[in-house]
Each structure stands twice: as structure tokens, then as C-alpha cells.
Amino acid sequence: MLSKTMEDALNEQLNKEMYSAYLYMAMSAHSTHIGLPGFANWFMVQYKEEMDHAMKIYRYINDQGGKVKLRAIDEPPSEFEDAMDMFQKTLKHEQFITKSIHELMDLAIQERDHATQIFLQWFVTEQIEEEGNDNEIIAKLELAGKEGNGLFMIDKELAARVYTPPAEAEE
Ligand code: FEO
């Protein structure tokens, strides 16, 4: 059972995850457009993971007898300066999502909603990984340079990222 406040907050987070998916889809499209297929692949995998995050919240609201309310998804930017710009914006966005997850956790603690605290723990851990990945790629871009051979090498590396659907138990 969810309080109305918690239901609203979870619906808002669902929308943020949908926006995240949309943002990374836009970055994937831009990467393809500027001839970086590896970056396009990385962002498309990220898009799919964000859709999984949104669905995880969707199912949780339903499981708890709440009501899913879908809101309009904001338009993401479609133009980016370069690969570094996309990853800096990705990191900034993930930091915003981390803050949002922590605020949700604060609310669950305040409401003594133990089920939602346990549910959100997965997201707290996931955000550590997400920010870590972005920091790592930004460091590589800084080291290898923003263009030429270095960028080509990073693009090749990012081409290897594979989407893993969530385990059945999590669905
Ligand atoms: Fe769903 Fe990238 O946080």
C-alpha cells in the first residue's frame, strides 16, 4: 500500500526515467549522425536500460495497489557539441537522477514505508554504477583526446556494450 504522496513521487520518477530514455535515444541518434556508431550503440543500450527502470517503477506502483499516471515527456536536446559534451551532459543528468532517488528514499523513510525503501535500494546502487561508468568514459575522452585516433578507439570500445534484459525474477 502506497500513500498518495509516495504514489505521486513514484509516478514523477517514472516520468524522469522515461525522459532519461528519451535523452539517450537523442544522443544515440546524434552519434549515428556524426559517424560514431560505437557511441550510438552505447547510448541505445542506455536507452533500453532506462526503459527497464521506468517499467520497474510501473510494476511496483501496480503491485502496491497504486495507480500509474503517465505524464508528458519533455523534449530532449537534439544537438550536441561533440562526444565529450554528450557524456558531460549524461553525467550531469545522472547526478540529477541520483538526487531524485535519494529524495524518494528520504520520503520513504519519513513515511516509514519499508517496502518502498527496499524497492529503492536497487536504484541507489544502480546510480553508483551509472555515475561511475560516465566518469570512466569522460576520463578516457580527456586522456585520448576529443578527436582522431583516440576517439576512434573509444568508439570501438563502446561498440562492444551489450544490452542485458533484466532477470525474469525482476520483471
Ligand atoms: Fe535510470 Fe540512468 O537512471
Side-chain angles (χ1 to χ4, degrees):
M1 161 105 197
L2 295 172
S3 73
K4 182 78 180 88
T5 314
M6 185 54 77
E7 182 187 293
D8 285 348
L10 285 167
N11 271 312
E12 199 178 315
Q13 188 63 37
L14 196 165
N15 181 271
K16 284 177 188 163
E17 301 292 343
M18 294 294 289
Y19 175 79
S20 305
Y22 224 27
L23 175 65
Y24 300 136
M25 194 190 206
M27 288 183 181
S28 182
H30 185 75
S31 301
T32 299
H33 191 68
I34 61 173
L36 291 172
F39 282 79
N41 171 67
W42 194 95
F43 283 116
M44 196 48 85
V45 172
Q46 195 61 30
Y47 153 80
K48 290 176 185 165
E49 287 198 357
E50 298 300 349
M51 290 301 291
D52 291 339
H53 298 170
M55 286 311 296
K56 216 175 168 72
I57 299 170
Y58 174 96
R59 278 189 296 271
Y60 181 72
I61 296 171
N62 280 334
D63 287 348
Q64 289 286 74
K67 174 88 166 73
V68 168
K69 188 169 181 296
L70 299 178
R71 298 165 188 181
I73 305 166
D74 288 341
E75 182 179 318
S78 54
E79 296 299 328
F80 304 93
E81 274 172 44
D82 51 22
M84 180 64 104
D85 182 40
M86 285 192 284
F87 269 98
Q88 272 164 348
K89 286 188 170 129
T90 296
L91 176 63
K92 201 166 163 236
H93 180 67
E94 288 305 326
Q95 286 167 340
F96 162 73
I97 294 292
T98 300
K99 189 168 170 278
S100 175
I101 294 287
H102 290 182
E103 282 166 5
L104 267 177
M105 183 64 103
D106 289 343
L107 180 65
I109 291 167
Q110 191 190 314
E111 291 200 352
R112 296 167 172 255
D113 179 344
H114 295 252
T116 302
Q117 287 175 46
I118 291 167
F119 171 73
L120 289 172
Q121 237 154 43
W122 184 91
F123 284 87
V124 172
T125 309
E126 174 71 9
Q127 284 310 118
I128 298 170
E129 195 190 310
E130 296 235 340
E131 286 190 30
N133 288 342
D134 300 338
N135 277 317
E136 199 184 308
I137 295 167
I138 287 171
K140 275 183 191 162
L141 280 166
E142 269 166 3
L143 204 70
K146 291 185 183 179
E147 51 199 24
N149 246 350
L151 186 63
F152 177 73
M153 296 280 287
I154 298 171
D155 189 64
K156 255 181 100 173
E157 200 182 316
L158 298 188
R161 187 180 186 194
V162 177
Y163 169 68
T164 314
E168 236 165 71
E170 280 186 17
E171 284 177 5

